[in-house]
């Protein structure tokens, strides 16, 4: 007999409907899975057999063939275990086809028949057209976010079969026992001194501008960066759904329940590979760190230690807000609109600029400076030099301005950006800048001098203009942009040690 069960699989962060066709016939006892399954999917044979027997059901003694349609999509992982088990029971006439009509099944089976959660339940549920979906109890809350099929979550295969036979009612969907808590947000009031760096954080949060912090060890670069998510507004509905789907597909913890509303934070180690950073893989295309930071902050600490190839891979998603991964057998697109914050030392020892303290050779400084290419550096709207705090600031008992206070100005600037039709000023097009950020004569003169001196590219000119507009919004001022605002925006784009400067030093040393 033939049975067809609805299910779905994950490709990137997109769910694809799958029809699990199970055929049971006379012949030598065999179990074959076709339809482009991976190793974990083929191993369902042993898991399903043990689960059925452990749950008190019969295993058909004949030939069992399982086809996963459509055959052109690769099926990965153990998420089809429960659908295969249902197909075997229906094809062997232990269950009536009407019992599983208009239902889909998404869960891994344990050898004892327990239903286990699988990653990517949210996007897999969103693609289903059935009236009901059966998932593991640990996945019920996530599946409910899809606002689609009715979610059922029996604990075991035996309990599920009893419900389908009409012997028991559906069990109540038990939400996660983990209480919803607000993530502790580090407060800017903890930062002593660092006026320019604090202003850089405020401007970055208000306008969505990428930020590079450069300074010696112990200056507080990481401490400052960790306080940036607290300044960002909650995610809107569309971004929250995208971010939650990415985290679901990546297998990240969603135990707090509900859509992700707080700006996410990702801080990969500097040894991260390019694939782990941008996403992909040889067969299973999974989101990388930049997609997991979608809607939030990607923090690259010790940025000078990252592989240059990995850093340059950020250039395209920084411009487009999406990363497209192509492999020989698959392709996927992941959302990647994030705020990039980098922190690095001015040289390998970190003491460059301190008289008599730098221990690096000119060649070592040159190699270090080359880690950041010119095109990547040009995408940082804000480049702030962070010095070690002064003693008078460290022992000052007066509390600094809190995150809540700064957040009020950030919300004011974000509100002005929304009136222009964008979420932040960094998203304004060049044409829109002509309408919303006209320049006063003194501002035009400053820009002309900076471009003539080679300090600004055409892209840099527009980026500085957006920063100046953000600073005007924070101050509650109306364009045209003044020379003072442009001068401050130019100052916050201070160049770090460049390759050209290091080449000159190396030449002098020789």
């Amino acid at each position: 007999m033939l049975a067809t069960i609805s299910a779905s699989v994950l490709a990137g962060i997109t769910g694809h409907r799958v029809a699990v066709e199970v055929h049971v016939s006379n012949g030598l006892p065999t179990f074959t899975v076709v339809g482009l399954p991976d190793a974990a999917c083929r191993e369902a044979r042993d898991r399903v057999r043990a689960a059925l027997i452990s749950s008190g059901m019969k295993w058909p003694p004949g030939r069992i063939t399982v086809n996963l349609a459509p055959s052109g999509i690769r099926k990965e992982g153990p998420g089809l275990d429960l659908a295969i088990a249902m197909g075997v029971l229906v094809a062997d006439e232990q269950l009536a086809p009407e019992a599983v009509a208009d239902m889909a099944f998404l869960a891994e089976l344990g050898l004892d028949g327990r239903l286990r959660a699988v990653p990517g339940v949210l996007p897999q549920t969103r693609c289903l057209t059935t009236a009901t979906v059966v998932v593991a109890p640990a996945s019920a809350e996530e599946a409910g976010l899809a606002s689609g099929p009715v979610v059922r979550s029996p604990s075991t295969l035996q309990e599920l079969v009893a419900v389908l036979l009409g012997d028991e009612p559906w069990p109540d969907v038990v939400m996660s026992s983990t209480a919803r808590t607000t993530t502790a947000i580090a407060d800017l009031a903890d930062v002593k001194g660092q006026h320019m760096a604090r202003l850089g954080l405020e401007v970055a949060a208000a306008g969505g501008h990428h930020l590079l912090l450069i300074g010696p060890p112990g200056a507080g670069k990481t401490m400052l960066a960790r306080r940036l998510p607290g300044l960002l507004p909650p995610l809107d509905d569309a971004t929250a759904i995208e971010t939650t789907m990415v985290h679901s597909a990546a297998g990240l913890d969603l135990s707090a329940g509900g859509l992700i509303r707080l700006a996410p934070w990702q801080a990969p180690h500097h040894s991260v590979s390019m694939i782990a950073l941008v996403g992909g893989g040889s067969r299973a295309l999974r989101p990388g760190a930049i997609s997991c930071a979608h809607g939030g902050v990607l923090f690259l600490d010790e940025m000078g230690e990252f592989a240059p190839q990995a850093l340059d891979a950020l250039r395209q998603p920084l411009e487009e807000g999406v990363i497209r991964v192509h492999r020989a057998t698959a392709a996927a697109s992941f959302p990647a609109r994030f705020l990039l914050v980098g922190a690095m030392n001015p040289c390998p020892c970190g003491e460059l600029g301190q008289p008599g303290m730098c221990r690096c050779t000119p060649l070592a400084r040159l190699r270090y400076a080359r880690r950041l290419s010119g095109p990547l550096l040009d995408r940082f709207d804000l480049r702030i030099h962070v010095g070690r705090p002064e003693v008078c600031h460290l022992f000052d008992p007066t509390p600094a301005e809190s995150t809540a206070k700064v957040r009020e100005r950030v919300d004011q600037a974000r509100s002005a950006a929304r009136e222009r039709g964008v979420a932040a000023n960094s998203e304004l097009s060049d044409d829109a800048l002509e309408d919303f950020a006209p320049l006063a004569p003194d501002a035009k003169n400053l820009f002309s001098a900076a471009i003539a001196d080679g300090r600004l590219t055409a892209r840099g000119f527009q980026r500085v203009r957006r920063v100046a507009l953000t600073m005007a919004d924070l101050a509650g001022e109306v364009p045209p942009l003044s020379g003072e605002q442009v001068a401050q925006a130019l100052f916050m784009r201070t160049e770090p040690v460049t390759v050209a400067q290091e080449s000159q030093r190396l030449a002098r040393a020789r």
Side-chain angles (χ1 to χ4, degrees), residues 313-324:
L314 298 175
R315 287 154 51 181
Q316 178 261 335
L318 283 175
E319 291 293 324
E320 300 185 17
V322 64
I323 179 69
R324 299 177 183 86

Side-chain angles (χ1 to χ4, degrees), residues 156-237:
T156 64
L157 180 59
Q158 186 176 25
E159 183 179 0
L160 173 59
V161 172
V163 171
L164 296 177
L165 290 175
D167 299 335
E168 299 287 343
W170 283 108
D172 294 333
V173 177
V174 179
M175 296 302 179
S176 172
S177 59
T178 303
R180 181 188 296 274
T181 58
T182 301
T183 304
I185 298 177
D187 202 316
L188 267 174
D190 301 331
V191 179
K192 300 292 186 180
Q194 304 295 9
H195 171 74
M196 185 55 64
R198 290 172 60 96
L199 178 60
L201 285 184
E202 183 176 341
V203 174
H209 305 291
H210 305 304
L211 171 66
L212 178 62
L213 300 172
I214 308 166
K221 301 184 294 295
T222 303
M223 180 181 183
L224 285 160
R226 288 188 179 278
R227 280 144 181 80
L228 182 55
L231 299 177
L232 296 176
L235 305 185
D236 57 55
D237 291 342

Side-chain angles (χ1 to χ4, degrees), residues 192 194 214-220 345 349-351 354 357 385-391 393-394:
K192 300 292 186 180
Q194 304 295 9
I214 308 166
N345 299 325
C349 77
E351 303 295 343
Q354 304 294 324
M357 295 186 66
H385 282 268
V386 184
R388 291 193 176 101
E390 298 179 9
V391 176
H393 292 149
L394 290 177

Side-chain angles (χ1 to χ4, degrees), residues 56-350:
M57 279 149 268
K58 297 187 301 179
W59 181 254
R63 180 182 180 87
I64 303 175
T65 303
V66 178
N67 179 43
L68 309 176
S71 299
I73 299 176
R74 186 168 183 81
K75 319 316 186 290
E76 298 164 347
L80 298 176
D81 286 2
L82 184 58
I84 293 173
M86 290 296 101
V88 170
L89 292 176
V90 173
D92 195 41
E93 300 183 349
Q94 298 182 53
L95 279 177
E98 296 78 13
V100 296
D102 209 14
M103 298 177 67
F105 301 86
L106 301 173
E108 177 185 353
L109 284 176
L111 299 186
D112 58 353
R114 291 183 182 273
L115 272 61
R116 294 176 176 166
V118 293
V121 166
L122 174 57
Q124 290 183 78
T125 304
R126 284 173 61 89
C127 76
L128 294 172
T129 58
T130 56
T132 305
V133 60
V134 179
V135 299
S139 299
E141 198 165 6
E142 183 181 338
L145 299 176
S147 302
V150 176
V151 178
R152 303 294 187 185
S153 58
S155 300
T156 64
L157 180 59
Q158 186 176 25
E159 183 179 0
L160 173 59
V161 172
V163 171
L164 296 177
L165 290 175
D167 299 335
E168 299 287 343
W170 283 108
D172 294 333
V173 177
V174 179
M175 296 302 179
S176 172
S177 59
T178 303
R180 181 188 296 274
T181 58
T182 301
T183 304
I185 298 177
D187 202 316
L188 267 174
D190 301 331
V191 179
K192 300 292 186 180
Q194 304 295 9
H195 171 74
M196 185 55 64
R198 290 172 60 96
L199 178 60
L201 285 184
E202 183 176 341
V203 174
H209 305 291
H210 305 304
L211 171 66
L212 178 62
L213 300 172
I214 308 166
K221 301 184 294 295
T222 303
M223 180 181 183
L224 285 160
R226 288 188 179 278
R227 280 144 181 80
L228 182 55
L231 299 177
L232 296 176
L235 305 185
D236 57 55
D237 291 342
T239 305
I241 290 174
E242 287 179 339
T243 303
T244 306
M245 289 177 62
V246 169
H247 283 228
S248 174
L252 299 182
D253 184 26
L254 295 175
S255 60
L259 295 175
I260 295 174
R261 291 292 183 179
L262 297 179
W265 165 272
Q266 288 289 312
H269 189 260
H270 59 75
S271 62
V272 65
S273 67
M274 187 169 68
I275 291 178
L277 189 63
V278 304
S282 58
R283 292 183 178 178
L285 301 184
R286 292 290 182 263
I290 64 172
S291 292
C292 294
H294 179 63
V297 178
L298 177 68
F299 177 52
L300 302 183
D301 200 4
E302 302 297 342
M303 198 169 179
E305 302 298 332
F306 280 76
Q309 296 87 347
L311 293 178
D312 283 335
L314 298 175
R315 287 154 51 181
Q316 178 261 335
L318 283 175
E319 291 293 324
E320 300 185 17
V322 64
I323 179 69
R324 299 177 183 86
V325 179
H326 292 266
R327 297 293 181 264
T329 58
S333 294
F334 303 116
R337 190 170 297 281
F338 54 90
L339 186 56
L340 177 61
V341 179
M344 63 181 294
N345 299 325
C347 67
C349 77

Side-chain angles (χ1 to χ4, degrees), residues 195-196 198-209 381-382 384 409-410 412-414 416 420 425-426 437 463-493:
H195 171 74
M196 185 55 64
R198 290 172 60 96
L199 178 60
L201 285 184
E202 183 176 341
V203 174
H209 305 291
D381 302 341
L382 306 169
I384 308 296
R409 295 195 295 270
V410 171
Q412 170 186 310
R414 289 275 183 160
R420 302 179 183 115
N425 287 334
S426 61
R463 287 183 175 275
V464 172
R465 194 172 177 180
R466 294 183 182 97
V467 172
L469 179 60
T470 299
M471 300 186 74
D473 291 340
L474 287 170
E477 299 175 356
V478 179
L481 302 179
S482 66
E484 181 181 355
Q485 292 164 344
V486 170
Q488 196 168 9
L490 284 169
F491 180 76
M492 297 181 74
R493 195 181 169 86

